[in-house]
Amino acid sequence: MKKTGFLLLFLATMLSAQAQHIILPLWEGTPPLQKEMDLEEEFVQEEIIRIGNVQKPTIEVFLPTKQISTGKAVVIFPGGGYSILAYDKEGTDFAKWLNAQGIAGIVVKYRLPRSQSLTDKKEVPLLDAQRAIRMVRSQAEEWNIDPTQVGVMGFSAGGHLASTISTQYDHEVERPKDAIDQLSARPDFSVLVYPVISFRDASAHSGSRMNLIGENAPQELVDRFSGELNVTEETPPAFLVHAQDDNGVPIENSFLYYKALHEKRIPASLHIYPKGGHGFGFGFGRGPVSNWRNVLLDWMVDLK
């Protein structure tokens, strides 16, 4: 390696060492729509970290140094079919990568609808997502974040959650509220990576749909949680990436959401790669899809 390479590595290491890392609870006390039960969170670390049965949702905050900060923040929802969270592969790994680009990365350990402690499971992931965005905005000054540049990123079922909050950010449920609830939960942009979008039969990811709304949900719920049906003129711009050979979540999900955005004249960028499969994450070793993150950064630079 040349001397310049060693210098760049040294500088990157020093900047990383100065960056802030914080973990905060989303809610004080027992979270809304949850009853107290003696349930343990599931944590499995094999090739990746898998977290299940979340009882105490959190945000894990990775802040870049002020020297390189762009003011942008991305709230990240890991995927896992609304059954588990692929917490590092589709969460903290990306937050750390965003930090190197001067972008704050906030990973949400959101509650999953399979938990027995939830009183209205279909509402809980969205409720935690709204809270996460509001918390980031409440700390914007302290964390050196522009409150008008807070976006979301979601993978697979996490992409479904990111699209849901992009279209239902003002959805309300009956619960106690505090000062943070006065802030907007609308994302300023969304990054949807091999996302689940539609719960309709032709495109549905059956596992995500069953876990969130049940096997025989009424059509009203199916439509409510089909993101392509809920896009309005106020839905934020989106970047979508998918692989043509995805056998987990049909590629039509990204097509449907892009089409709905295009019809409302909302800026959207759709990127399809011929290979990559499902769950490609960074895309290392999977051909051209490994470059998708650089394409994303170019898109984010142009956001107004």
Side-chain angles (χ1 to χ4, degrees):
M1 184 184 291
K2 296 180 180 179
K3 289 183 178 179
T4 53
F6 280 115
L7 179 59
L8 288 172
L9 179 61
F10 174 76
L11 290 173
T13 302
M14 290 300 293
L15 289 172
S16 176
Q18 298 173 39
Q20 288 183 271
H21 176 215
I22 311 161
I23 300 178
L24 296 172
L26 279 182
W27 309 97
E28 292 185 10
T30 304
L33 305 184
Q34 182 172 321
K35 55 188 176 182
E36 280 292 339
M37 295 182 68
D38 188 20
L39 299 176
E40 293 187 4
E41 186 170 283
E42 298 163 359
F43 183 97
V44 177
Q45 183 168 8
E46 295 173 341
E47 291 185 4
I48 66 171
I49 294 174
R50 293 179 174 85
I51 297 178
N53 203 33
V54 174
Q55 300 300 302
K56 295 182 179 180
T58 62
I59 51 172
E60 187 164 1
V61 184
F62 296 82
L63 301 176
T65 61
K66 289 187 177 181
Q67 296 95 313
I68 65 170
S69 175
T70 65
K72 286 186 172 67
V74 177
V75 178
I76 305 170
F77 306 114
Y82 285 121
S83 176
I84 58 96
L85 302 177
Y87 194 73
D88 54 349
K89 180 182 177 182
E90 296 175 348
T92 53
D93 288 352
F94 275 88
K96 295 171 185 176
W97 171 75
L98 287 166
N99 269 197
Q101 323 306 320
I103 301 166
I106 298 96
V107 185
V108 186
K109 188 177 74 174
Y110 57 93
R111 289 172 290 168
L112 298 159
R114 297 185 68 188
S115 175
Q116 296 178 0
S117 63
L118 304 183
T119 58
D120 192 348
K121 67 175 188 176
K122 71 180 185 304
E123 302 293 350
V124 167
L126 176 58
L127 186 59
D128 285 353
Q130 291 171 320
R131 183 69 172 187
I133 292 175
R134 288 173 172 141
M135 281 189 67
V136 171
R137 288 202 168 106
S138 75
Q139 298 295 317
E141 184 175 357
E142 182 177 343
W143 292 349
N144 196 34
I145 289 170
D146 181 345
T148 69
Q149 289 292 306
V150 178
V152 292
M153 172 185 277
F155 299 78
S156 193
H160 182 267
L161 182 53
S163 69
T164 301
I165 195 168
S166 295
T167 54
Q168 300 185 46
Y169 50 84
D170 56 358
H171 180 76
E172 295 287 347
V173 296
E174 189 67 31
R175 63 179 178 87
K177 294 186 178 181
D178 58 21
I180 292 176
D181 290 308
Q182 304 305 312
L183 299 173
S184 173
R186 178 187 180 273
D188 294 300
F189 58 90
S190 64
V191 179
L192 309 178
V193 189
Y194 39 86
V196 176
I197 295 291
S198 183
F199 278 0
R200 291 190 159 192
D201 291 339
S203 303
H205 179 251
S206 58
S208 296
R209 181 175 65 183
M210 181 180 299
N211 287 331
L212 188 64
I213 63 173
E215 186 174 5
N216 299 308
Q219 192 63 44
E220 178 183 356
L221 275 185
V222 172
D223 290 349
R224 181 191 156 196
F225 287 103
S226 293
E228 79 278 13
L229 302 179
N230 295 285
V231 170
T232 71
E233 288 80 2
E234 300 302 318
T235 301
F239 177 100
L240 299 104
V241 59
H242 222 122
Q244 192 173 355
D245 63 348
D246 190 328
N247 293 321
V249 174
I251 196 172
E252 285 79 9
N253 282 270
S254 286
F255 291 156
L256 288 167
Y257 197 68
Y258 176 83
K259 182 175 183 291
L261 292 169
H262 180 66
E263 289 175 350
K264 296 293 184 181
R265 298 187 178 183
I266 296 168
S269 186
L270 173 62
H271 300 270
I272 304 298
Y273 291 87
K275 293 183 179 180
H278 187 66
F280 53 73
F282 281 105
F284 294 141
R286 301 203 188 189
V289 73
S290 64
N291 191 54
W292 78 267
R293 292 163 294 116
N294 294 322
V295 181
L296 169 63
L297 289 177
D298 290 341
W299 181 79
M300 290 181 69
V301 166
D302 286 339
L303 281 173
K304 304 299 181 184

